[in-house]
Amino acid sequence: MPNQIELKDVKITGGYFHEKQQMNEKVTIPATYKQFYSTGRIDAFKLKWRNGQANQPHIFWDSDVAKWIEGAAYTLIHKRDENLESLIDSVVADLVAGQTPEGYFNSYYQTIEFSNRFTNRNNHELYCAGHLIEGAVAYKQATGKDSFLNAMCRYADYIEKVFTDPGRDKNFRTPGHEEIELALVKLCHETGNKKYLDLSRFFIATRGTLDGEKQTNANWASSSYAQDHLPIADQTTAEGHAVRCLYMFSGAADIAREFNNEKLKKACETVFNNIVSKRMYVTGGIGGNYSGEAFSYDYDLPNELAYTETCASIAMIFFCQRMYLLTGDKKYMDAIELQLYNAVLSGISLYGDRFFYCNPLEVHPERRDYFTKIHNSQFAPEYERPEYFGCSCCPPNVIRLIASLGQYMYHVDNDNDGEKIYVNLYNSSEFEYNGVKIIQETDYPRNGEVKFTVTTNKPVELILRSPAWCHNINIDTPDDSEEEEEYYDEKTEFNSMDTGNYSFKIKEAGEYKLSLNFAMPVVELYANPKVHYCAGRIAVKRGPVVYCAESIDNGENLKSVAINKIPDYKCEQSQIGGNNIVKIKCDAEFVSDNPENSDDLYSEKPFKSEKKRLALIPYAAWANRGRSEMLVWFLKNRE
Amino acid sequence: MPNQIELKDVKITGGYFHEKQQMNEKVTIPATYKQFYSTGRIDAFKLKWRNGQANQPHIFWDSDVAKWIEGAAYTLIHKRDENLESLIDSVVADLVAGQTPEGYFNSYYQTIEFSNRFTNRNNHELYCAGHLIEGAVAYKQATGKDSFLNAMCRYADYIEKVFTDPGRDKNFRTPGHEEIELALVKLCHETGNKKYLDLSRFFIATRGTLDGEKQTNANWASSSYAQDHLPIADQTTAEGHAVRCLYMFSGAADIAREFNNEKLKKACETVFNNIVSKRMYVTGGIGGNYSGEAFSYDYDLPNELAYTETCASIAMIFFCQRMYLLTGDKKYMDAIELQLYNAVLSGISLYGDRFFYCNPLEVHPERRDYFTKIHNSQFAPEYERPEYFGCSCCPPNVIRLIASLGQYMYHVDNDNDGEKIYVNLYNSSEFEYNGVKIIQETDYPRNGEVKFTVTTNKPVELILRSPAWCHNINIDTPDDSEEEEEYYDEKTEFNSMDTGNYSFKIKEAGEYKLSLNFAMPVVELYANPKVHYCAGRIAVKRGPVVYCAESIDNGENLKSVAINKIPDYKCEQSQIGGNNIVKIKCDAEFVSDNPENSDDLYSEKPFKSEKKRLALIPYAAWANRGRSEMLVWFLKNRE
């Protein structure tokens, strides 16, 4: 079974992830700190806010700052930074100073309604605690400084005492917003203290078993909103608030693995299958329902009113990595790849300073403008990323994900058959582990060619993920000379595996080169006819990247543009604001202005059309060039 | 110019309208009375409700009962009915007894907050007054009884005194919900008292001129919600709550005609054009925006979330008839025809006892069930007409429209060129006017053949509307013998007119027969590409009737059904619950269950499909056979 690596062992050296990490360090992390500072989130940790002052602390503020610390900490692993650390140290000092003797800390409750702490399940206390724990673990790993971690251990100890008390009120035994479950597993791993693992298991096992909890949520939404409708092990579908659901199943997958709980594992697998086979957008987006930021019923995937929160896709990545660790099945890494290049990175601008909460697949700016002006903007998605939003969960979540991309790339395993290194995401990087060094060079996903140089002091097997979208792979040794070939044939072995991966077995110490080329033709995807929003339409994808069109390239009325039966797809290198992208062009039929009937609302004659080239850009790169219509699902001509 | 006839002069003798009127008299009128009685609406007129009792009167209840009286009164014109009259007389007696010495009557204000009368513009008082006036005029015309009319004159006198007082609060000088404007014109016509016409003109001229009013509505919606954004004569687009908008423009068209006001006439024409060329569904439905029950911006016509209230289409008919009287342009009668056979009659079940408030063009029952159960039902339309709804404006509005259909069929004119009779709607009927008797026999719109027998004691010209949808008409004298032909050639003249009508001139007294056959091929309509909800799709229409498909005939996933390039449309006589309908069948491609990829959510291969016959029924006949998907706009194959 694959195991997680330490982030310090992998360094991203170039290519797509490197660009994102540079942007993260230079723009997103400082810009987000600035926003958090100016809105009072940083100073809230001083617990000095008093009634009547500006910037009243909010129940979820601690989590925002905690996620920012976690993301910033990941960047410190490879490059310590005094200034950045002093900002974090100052927040940590405030927290330690403000913590109650029992270990409690929450900037909202301690300034607004301390006597009500741990009484309202829906007020995000344990969610904030979970994020603080994750931040503390990351900061300890990055800097060795342990005051934050120690403070969080004290807090976790207190939570354990309060929540496992058998006499505790049944209306609030598990968190309204899950997150602490997975954080406690991390805390156990970092400290070695199994108590935290047991507390996580307690939350996972207790959830959905208490009538009181079901009642609590039923007041303003259904009990499934917070996944309280059934014990977790009995759940078979992804329900309710998508971020909560997947944070919870992340914790559940951890617990299933730690305690070898087959029933819980089965529930996790079943829910994953429900998502990818019935409740996920082609971009990976999940939780499309505006009402409750939630999963809807099977196949209900509206493109314009797709809530598909950035955080939900990030949560799906957390869940999938844990399922990969639990099962070793590469399909979970395929799912991570889809999320990452599409639904997650759509959440941040190419410049790193603007963010989408929702990631729809169809946007009409005039609709947004109209509903913002006249009525309720909820009926139409935004067409430009705002710099900031009041509920600011997504920006620091993107920060911590980008900063920790390395640990999704490689996994390791020492089993009876010897050492294995799993290569799951492709990006230029250096990975060192136990006497094996892997240098990976690629411009993936813009290009399917990936070159490996492996230097090892012993036999080792590389398990290379063959992406689910790839039907054709070219394998090359670096040199075509016969001598080289023989050398490789003797000392290495390259095989396709039943699991859908490739195996590159190195039998002796030495330096080896390997070049893979994943063929990346442009493909068209059809949606199941039950997804009625996509009927008669196709999505365009190349490698793991889903494409979209913007009116800024193609003119208005994208929904009436029909891609030709034989579309003659051509890829070309292009840029948006200095970012390299692969643009796709194809033949399509555009309904044009027609003097004869362009004024008609309805006409017995088809509206006149003309053949033109349609320009497509990666979905994640949309909304970086001003007001524009956007579309993912295109009409497909069959004539 | 055409003038309105008296309802007593036309009798509907058979065919489609007769079926609807029979249903109206036998089912809808008694069922609605029963509902109104059991909910307290009838007894509310006694003004005896007291705090703590059931059925607290609501601000719009008087209007419900008034519309019911008006509709019931229209049926009495041809057939007096002691029982029905005694029900009405009893309500009228309560009203007269309860009226204040000044003439005020409102069952809500007089029982709940009398001291606040005429202070809250949004509380429907003048709207209720308007409907009571319409009811009183109709009841007088039907029965000659005048106590209701006299009471309403007293009320109108009081309203005139209160609202034209120059010192009156500027926040409430015109009604929040229009309706009284058109009612006062009727009151003037019935009583001959010009004061009422002047009061109507006052409301029309004052609207949108006061800052106070704009402010009032801006509190919870925009000022355009209640058409206060501009003086009426300056409005160029249909804005806000659709029923209010069109009741208002009905009054404005009346005033434009009565006072020969060219500027107001121009505004009415401009707004009509805005509606039919940019803001109207193919069914005629208007006011598609759920937010505010309102018109949306140009070309924003979502099919599933189409609010399209039944009352809005009825209001459009009121407006169009007045525009026809104002301009003589037949296009307004074309618009009436479209509304009537589609968006209006969709509002009532084929059995007459269930009603839709909203008339969407696409319905998915599983979506409604999900949102009703889990969240907010506002996100999905109903798939079955409820028996009754709390805001019960639509049922009595349908009642009064069906009962008064005769007066839309014929109009008359005595100008310098002699007598003209306009025949605008086709249905079996007898019309007598000034020595001319017209017998019309037809099964229109199920069949395009219309036979006329005209008996006249003088020369007369029949102006026959050629429906906008009709490209081919066959004209026949009843007998093919040469003798007959000559006779007709001498004494009559049949011509196509520039106006789009046909002229049948009768030069001498006598009996004449004429048979028209409007060719009714099935046609496909394309929507303007700016209506992105209909991109790549067609609607099917035959004559004035728009068609839809239901899953009960065709299976699920209607949105993925594509009508063939050459569809081989065939019409067949059919029935739903004893009602004759013309069913259409055509060749279409259905995406079928495909063992190979039916479980995929997205697939590189198209999902397998098969050719089958698609069954279509008239849109107005949908939702009469239980839970079913419904669709109006179909994918169109072009291969």
Coordinates of all heavy atoms in Angstrom, one line a residue, chain A residues 289-346:
Chain A
N289 N -25.6 22.4 -5.9 CA -26.8 22.9 -5.5 C -26.7 24.2 -4.7 O -26.1 24.2 -3.6 CB -27.6 21.9 -4.7 CG -29.0 22.2 -4.4 OD1 -29.4 23.3 -4.5 ND2 -29.7 21.2 -3.9
Y290 N -27.1 25.3 -5.2 CA -27.1 26.6 -4.4 C -27.8 26.5 -3.1 O -27.4 27.2 -2.1 CB -27.7 27.7 -5.3 CG -26.8 28.5 -6.2 CD1 -26.2 27.9 -7.3 CD2 -26.4 29.8 -5.9 CE1 -25.3 28.5 -8.1 CE2 -25.5 30.5 -6.8 CZ -25.0 29.9 -7.8 OH -24.1 30.5 -8.7
S291 N -28.8 25.7 -3.1 CA -29.6 25.6 -1.8 C -28.9 24.7 -0.9 O -28.9 23.5 -1.0 CB -31.0 25.1 -2.2 OG -31.8 25.0 -1.0
G292 N -28.1 25.3 0.1 CA -27.4 24.5 1.0 C -25.9 24.2 0.6 O -25.2 23.4 1.2
E293 N -25.4 24.8 -0.5 CA -24.1 24.6 -1.0 C -23.8 23.1 -1.1 O -22.8 22.6 -0.6 CB -23.1 25.3 -0.1 CG -23.4 26.7 0.3 CD -22.4 27.3 1.3 OE1 -22.2 26.8 2.4 OE2 -21.9 28.4 0.8
A294 N -24.8 22.4 -1.7 CA -24.9 21.0 -1.4 C -24.8 20.1 -2.7 O -25.0 20.6 -3.8 CB -26.2 20.7 -0.7
F295 N -24.6 18.8 -2.5 CA -24.9 17.9 -3.5 C -26.4 17.9 -3.8 O -27.2 18.0 -2.9 CB -24.5 16.5 -3.0 CG -23.0 16.2 -3.0 CD1 -22.3 16.3 -1.8 CD2 -22.3 15.9 -4.1 CE1 -20.9 16.1 -1.8 CE2 -20.9 15.7 -4.1 CZ -20.2 15.8 -2.9
S296 N -26.7 17.7 -5.0 CA -28.2 17.5 -5.4 C -28.4 16.1 -5.6 O -27.6 15.2 -5.3 CB -28.5 18.4 -6.6 OG -29.9 18.4 -6.8
Y297 N -29.5 15.7 -6.2 CA -29.8 14.3 -6.5 C -29.0 13.8 -7.7 O -28.4 14.6 -8.4 CB -31.3 14.1 -6.6 CG -32.0 14.9 -7.7 CD1 -32.2 14.4 -9.0 CD2 -32.4 16.2 -7.5 CE1 -32.8 15.1 -10.0 CE2 -33.0 16.9 -8.5 CZ -33.2 16.4 -9.7 OH -33.8 17.1 -10.7
D298 N -29.0 12.5 -7.9 CA -28.3 12.0 -9.0 C -28.6 12.6 -10.4 O -29.7 12.8 -10.7 CB -28.6 10.5 -9.2 CG -28.0 9.6 -8.0 OD1 -27.2 10.2 -7.2 OD2 -28.4 8.5 -7.9
Y299 N -27.5 13.0 -11.1 CA -27.6 13.5 -12.4 C -28.1 15.0 -12.5 O -28.3 15.5 -13.6 CB -28.5 12.7 -13.4 CG -28.0 11.2 -13.5 CD1 -28.7 10.2 -12.9 CD2 -26.8 10.9 -14.2 CE1 -28.2 8.9 -12.9 CE2 -26.3 9.6 -14.2 CZ -27.1 8.6 -13.6 OH -26.6 7.3 -13.7
D300 N -28.4 15.6 -11.3 CA -28.9 17.0 -11.4 C -27.7 17.9 -11.3 O -27.1 18.2 -10.3 CB -29.8 17.3 -10.2 CG -30.3 18.7 -10.2 OD1 -30.8 19.0 -11.3 OD2 -30.3 19.4 -9.2
L301 N -27.2 18.3 -12.5 CA -26.0 19.1 -12.6 C -26.2 20.3 -13.5 O -25.6 20.4 -14.6 CB -24.9 18.1 -13.2 CG -24.5 16.9 -12.3 CD1 -23.8 15.8 -13.1 CD2 -23.7 17.3 -11.1
P302 N -26.9 21.3 -13.0 CA -27.1 22.5 -13.8 C -25.8 23.2 -14.1 O -25.0 23.4 -13.2 CB -28.1 23.3 -13.0 CG -27.9 22.8 -11.6 CD -27.5 21.4 -11.7
N303 N -25.6 23.7 -15.3 CA -24.3 24.3 -15.6 C -24.2 25.7 -15.2 O -23.1 26.2 -14.8 CB -24.1 24.2 -17.2 CG -23.8 22.7 -17.6 OD1 -23.0 22.0 -16.9 ND2 -24.6 22.3 -18.6
E304 N -25.3 26.5 -15.4 CA -25.2 27.9 -15.0 C -25.3 28.1 -13.5 O -24.5 28.7 -12.9 CB -26.3 28.7 -15.7 CG -26.1 30.2 -15.5 CD -27.2 31.0 -16.2 OE1 -28.1 30.4 -16.8 OE2 -27.1 32.2 -16.3
L305 N -26.3 27.4 -12.9 CA -26.4 27.5 -11.5 C -25.7 26.3 -10.8 O -26.3 25.5 -10.1 CB -27.9 27.6 -11.1 CG -28.6 28.9 -11.4 CD1 -30.0 28.9 -10.9 CD2 -27.8 30.1 -10.8
A306 N -24.4 26.2 -11.1 CA -23.6 25.2 -10.5 C -22.8 25.9 -9.3 O -22.0 26.8 -9.5 CB -22.5 24.7 -11.5
Y307 N -23.2 25.5 -8.1 CA -22.5 26.1 -7.0 C -21.1 25.7 -6.9 O -20.2 26.6 -6.9 CB -23.3 25.7 -5.7 CG -22.9 26.6 -4.5 CD1 -23.4 27.8 -4.4 CD2 -21.9 26.2 -3.6 CE1 -23.0 28.7 -3.4 CE2 -21.5 27.0 -2.6 CZ -22.1 28.3 -2.5 OH -21.7 29.1 -1.5
T308 N -20.8 24.4 -7.0 CA -19.4 23.9 -7.1 C -18.4 24.7 -6.5 O -17.5 25.3 -7.2 CB -19.1 23.7 -8.6 OG1 -19.5 24.9 -9.3 CG2 -19.9 22.6 -9.2
E309 N -18.4 24.8 -5.2 CA -17.5 25.6 -4.4 C -16.0 25.1 -4.6 O -15.7 23.9 -4.6 CB -17.9 25.6 -3.0 CG -17.1 26.5 -2.1 CD -17.5 26.4 -0.6 OE1 -18.7 26.0 -0.3 OE2 -16.7 26.8 0.2
T310 N -15.1 26.1 -4.7 CA -13.7 25.7 -4.8 C -13.3 24.8 -3.6 O -12.6 23.8 -3.8 CB -12.9 27.0 -4.8 OG1 -13.3 27.9 -5.8 CG2 -11.4 26.7 -5.0
C311 N -13.7 25.2 -2.4 CA -13.4 24.3 -1.3 C -13.9 22.9 -1.4 O -13.3 22.0 -0.8 CB -14.0 25.0 0.0 SG -13.0 26.4 0.6
A312 N -15.0 22.7 -2.0 CA -15.6 21.4 -2.2 C -14.6 20.5 -3.0 O -14.4 19.3 -2.7 CB -17.0 21.4 -2.8
S313 N -14.1 21.1 -4.1 CA -13.2 20.3 -4.9 C -11.8 20.0 -4.2 O -11.2 19.0 -4.3 CB -12.9 21.0 -6.2 OG -14.0 20.8 -7.1
I314 N -11.4 21.0 -3.3 CA -10.2 20.8 -2.5 C -10.5 19.7 -1.5 O -9.7 18.8 -1.3 CB -9.8 22.1 -1.8 CG1 -9.3 23.1 -2.9 CG2 -8.7 21.8 -0.8 CD1 -9.0 24.5 -2.4
A315 N -11.7 19.7 -0.9 CA -12.1 18.6 0.0 C -12.1 17.3 -0.7 O -11.7 16.3 -0.1 CB -13.4 19.0 0.7
M316 N -12.5 17.3 -1.9 CA -12.5 16.0 -2.7 C -11.1 15.5 -2.9 O -10.9 14.3 -2.8 CB -13.2 16.3 -4.0 CG -13.3 15.1 -5.0 SD -14.6 13.9 -4.4 CE -14.6 12.7 -5.8
I317 N -10.2 16.4 -3.1 CA -8.8 16.0 -3.2 C -8.3 15.4 -1.9 O -7.6 14.3 -1.9 CB -7.9 17.2 -3.6 CG1 -8.2 17.5 -5.1 CG2 -6.4 16.9 -3.4 CD1 -7.4 18.7 -5.6
F318 N -8.6 16.0 -0.8 CA -8.2 15.4 0.5 C -8.8 14.0 0.7 O -8.1 13.1 1.1 CB -8.8 16.3 1.7 CG -8.2 17.7 1.7 CD1 -8.8 18.7 2.4 CD2 -7.0 18.0 1.1 CE1 -8.3 20.0 2.5 CE2 -6.4 19.3 1.2 CZ -7.1 20.3 1.8
F319 N -10.1 13.9 0.3 CA -10.8 12.6 0.5 C -10.1 11.6 -0.5 O -9.8 10.4 0.0 CB -12.2 12.8 0.1 CG -13.0 11.5 0.1 CD1 -13.0 10.6 1.1 CD2 -13.9 11.2 -1.0 CE1 -13.8 9.4 1.0 CE2 -14.6 10.1 -1.1 CZ -14.6 9.1 -0.1
C320 N -9.8 12.0 -1.7 CA -9.3 11.0 -2.7 C -7.9 10.5 -2.3 O -7.6 9.4 -2.5 CB -9.3 11.6 -4.1 SG -10.9 11.8 -4.8
Q321 N -7.1 11.4 -1.7 CA -5.7 11.0 -1.4 C -5.8 9.9 -0.2 O -5.1 8.9 -0.2 CB -4.8 12.1 -0.9 CG -3.4 11.7 -0.8 CD -2.5 12.7 -0.1 OE1 -2.9 13.5 0.7 NE2 -1.2 12.6 -0.5
R322 N -6.8 10.2 0.7 CA -6.9 9.2 1.8 C -7.5 7.9 1.3 O -7.1 6.8 1.8 CB -7.8 9.8 2.9 CG -7.1 10.9 3.7 CD -8.0 11.8 4.5 NE -7.2 12.7 5.3 CZ -6.7 13.8 4.9 NH1 -6.8 14.2 3.6 NH2 -6.0 14.6 5.7
M323 N -8.4 8.0 0.2 CA -8.9 6.7 -0.3 C -7.8 6.0 -1.1 O -7.7 4.7 -1.1 CB -10.0 7.0 -1.3 CG -11.3 7.5 -0.6 SD -11.9 6.3 0.7 CE -12.3 4.9 -0.3
Y324 N -6.9 6.7 -1.7 CA -5.7 6.1 -2.3 C -4.8 5.4 -1.3 O -4.4 4.3 -1.5 CB -5.0 7.2 -3.1 CG -3.7 6.7 -3.8 CD1 -3.8 5.8 -4.9 CD2 -2.4 7.1 -3.3 CE1 -2.6 5.4 -5.5 CE2 -1.3 6.7 -4.0 CZ -1.4 5.8 -5.0 OH -0.3 5.3 -5.7
L325 N -4.6 6.1 -0.2 CA -3.8 5.5 0.9 C -4.5 4.2 1.4 O -3.9 3.2 1.8 CB -3.5 6.5 2.0 CG -2.7 7.7 1.6 CD1 -2.7 8.7 2.8 CD2 -1.3 7.3 1.2
L326 N -5.8 4.3 1.4 CA -6.6 3.2 2.0 C -6.7 2.0 1.1 O -6.7 0.8 1.5 CB -8.0 3.7 2.3 CG -9.1 2.8 2.9 CD1 -8.7 2.2 4.2 CD2 -10.4 3.5 3.0
T327 N -6.7 2.2 -0.2 CA -7.0 1.1 -1.2 C -5.8 0.9 -2.2 O -5.8 -0.2 -2.8 CB -8.2 1.5 -2.0 OG1 -7.9 2.7 -2.8 CG2 -9.4 1.8 -1.2
G328 N -5.0 1.9 -2.4 CA -4.0 1.8 -3.4 C -4.5 1.9 -4.8 O -3.8 1.8 -5.8
D329 N -5.8 2.2 -4.9 CA -6.4 2.2 -6.3 C -6.1 3.6 -7.0 O -6.4 4.6 -6.4 CB -7.9 2.1 -6.2 CG -8.6 1.8 -7.5 OD1 -8.1 2.3 -8.5 OD2 -9.6 1.1 -7.5
K330 N -5.5 3.5 -8.1 CA -5.1 4.7 -8.9 C -6.3 5.6 -9.3 O -6.1 6.8 -9.6 CB -4.3 4.3 -10.1 CG -5.1 3.9 -11.3 CD -4.3 3.7 -12.5 CE -4.5 4.7 -13.6 NZ -5.8 5.1 -14.0
K331 N -7.5 5.0 -9.3 CA -8.6 5.9 -9.8 C -8.8 7.1 -8.9 O -9.3 8.1 -9.3 CB -9.9 5.1 -9.8 CG -10.5 4.7 -8.4 CD -11.8 3.9 -8.6 CE -12.3 3.5 -7.2 NZ -13.5 2.7 -7.3
Y332 N -8.3 7.0 -7.6 CA -8.5 8.2 -6.7 C -7.5 9.3 -7.1 O -7.8 10.4 -7.0 CB -8.3 7.7 -5.3 CG -9.3 6.8 -4.8 CD1 -9.1 5.4 -4.6 CD2 -10.7 7.2 -4.6 CE1 -10.0 4.5 -4.3 CE2 -11.6 6.3 -4.2 CZ -11.3 5.0 -4.1 OH -12.3 4.1 -3.7
M333 N -6.3 8.9 -7.7 CA -5.4 9.9 -8.1 C -5.8 10.5 -9.4 O -5.6 11.6 -9.7 CB -4.0 9.2 -8.3 CG -3.3 8.8 -7.0 SD -3.3 10.0 -5.6 CE -2.4 11.3 -6.3
D334 N -6.5 9.7 -10.3 CA -7.1 10.2 -11.5 C -8.1 11.3 -11.1 O -8.2 12.4 -11.7 CB -7.9 9.1 -12.2 CG -6.9 8.2 -13.0 OD1 -5.8 8.6 -13.4 OD2 -7.3 7.0 -13.1
A335 N -8.9 11.0 -10.1 CA -9.9 12.0 -9.6 C -9.3 13.3 -9.1 O -9.7 14.4 -9.3 CB -10.8 11.4 -8.6
I336 N -8.1 13.1 -8.4 CA -7.4 14.3 -7.9 C -6.9 15.1 -9.0 O -7.1 16.3 -9.0 CB -6.2 13.8 -7.0 CG1 -6.7 13.3 -5.6 CG2 -5.2 15.0 -6.8 CD1 -5.7 12.8 -4.7
E337 N -6.4 14.5 -10.1 CA -5.9 15.2 -11.2 C -7.0 16.0 -11.9 O -6.8 17.2 -12.2 CB -5.3 14.2 -12.2 CG -4.6 14.9 -13.4 CD -4.0 13.9 -14.4 OE1 -4.8 13.2 -15.1 OE2 -2.8 13.9 -14.5
L338 N -8.1 15.4 -12.0 CA -9.2 16.1 -12.7 C -9.6 17.4 -11.9 O -9.8 18.5 -12.4 CB -10.4 15.2 -12.8 CG -11.7 15.8 -13.4 CD1 -11.5 16.1 -14.9 CD2 -12.9 15.0 -13.2
Q339 N -9.8 17.2 -10.6 CA -10.2 18.3 -9.7 C -9.1 19.4 -9.8 O -9.5 20.6 -10.0 CB -10.2 17.8 -8.2 CG -11.3 16.8 -7.9 CD -12.6 17.4 -7.9 OE1 -12.8 18.7 -7.9 NE2 -13.6 16.6 -8.1
L340 N -7.9 19.0 -9.7 CA -6.8 20.0 -9.6 C -6.7 20.9 -10.8 O -6.7 22.2 -10.6 CB -5.5 19.3 -9.4 CG -4.2 20.1 -9.2 CD1 -4.4 21.0 -8.0 CD2 -3.0 19.2 -9.1
Y341 N -6.6 20.4 -12.0 CA -6.4 21.2 -13.1 C -7.7 22.0 -13.6 O -7.6 22.8 -14.5 CB -5.9 20.3 -14.3 CG -4.5 19.8 -14.1 CD1 -4.3 18.4 -14.0 CD2 -3.4 20.6 -14.0 CE1 -3.0 17.9 -13.8 CE2 -2.2 20.1 -13.8 CZ -2.0 18.8 -13.6 OH -0.7 18.3 -13.4
N342 N -8.8 21.6 -13.0 CA -10.0 22.2 -13.5 C -10.8 23.0 -12.4 O -10.6 24.2 -12.2 CB -10.9 21.2 -14.2 CG -10.1 20.5 -15.3 OD1 -9.9 21.2 -16.3 ND2 -9.7 19.3 -15.1
A343 N -11.6 22.2 -11.6 CA -12.5 22.9 -10.6 C -11.8 23.6 -9.5 O -12.3 24.6 -9.0 CB -13.4 21.8 -10.0
V344 N -10.5 23.1 -9.1 CA -9.8 23.8 -8.1 C -9.1 25.1 -8.6 O -9.3 26.2 -8.1 CB -8.8 22.9 -7.4 CG1 -7.8 23.8 -6.5 CG2 -9.4 21.8 -6.6
L345 N -8.4 25.0 -9.7 CA -7.6 26.1 -10.1 C -8.4 27.2 -10.8 O -8.0 28.3 -11.0 CB -6.4 25.7 -11.0 CG -5.3 25.0 -10.1 CD1 -4.2 24.4 -11.0 CD2 -4.7 26.0 -9.1
S346 N -9.7 26.8 -11.2 CA -10.6 27.8 -11.6 C -10.9 28.8 -10.5 O -11.4 29.9 -10.7 CB -11.9 27.1 -12.1 OG -13.0 28.0 -12.1

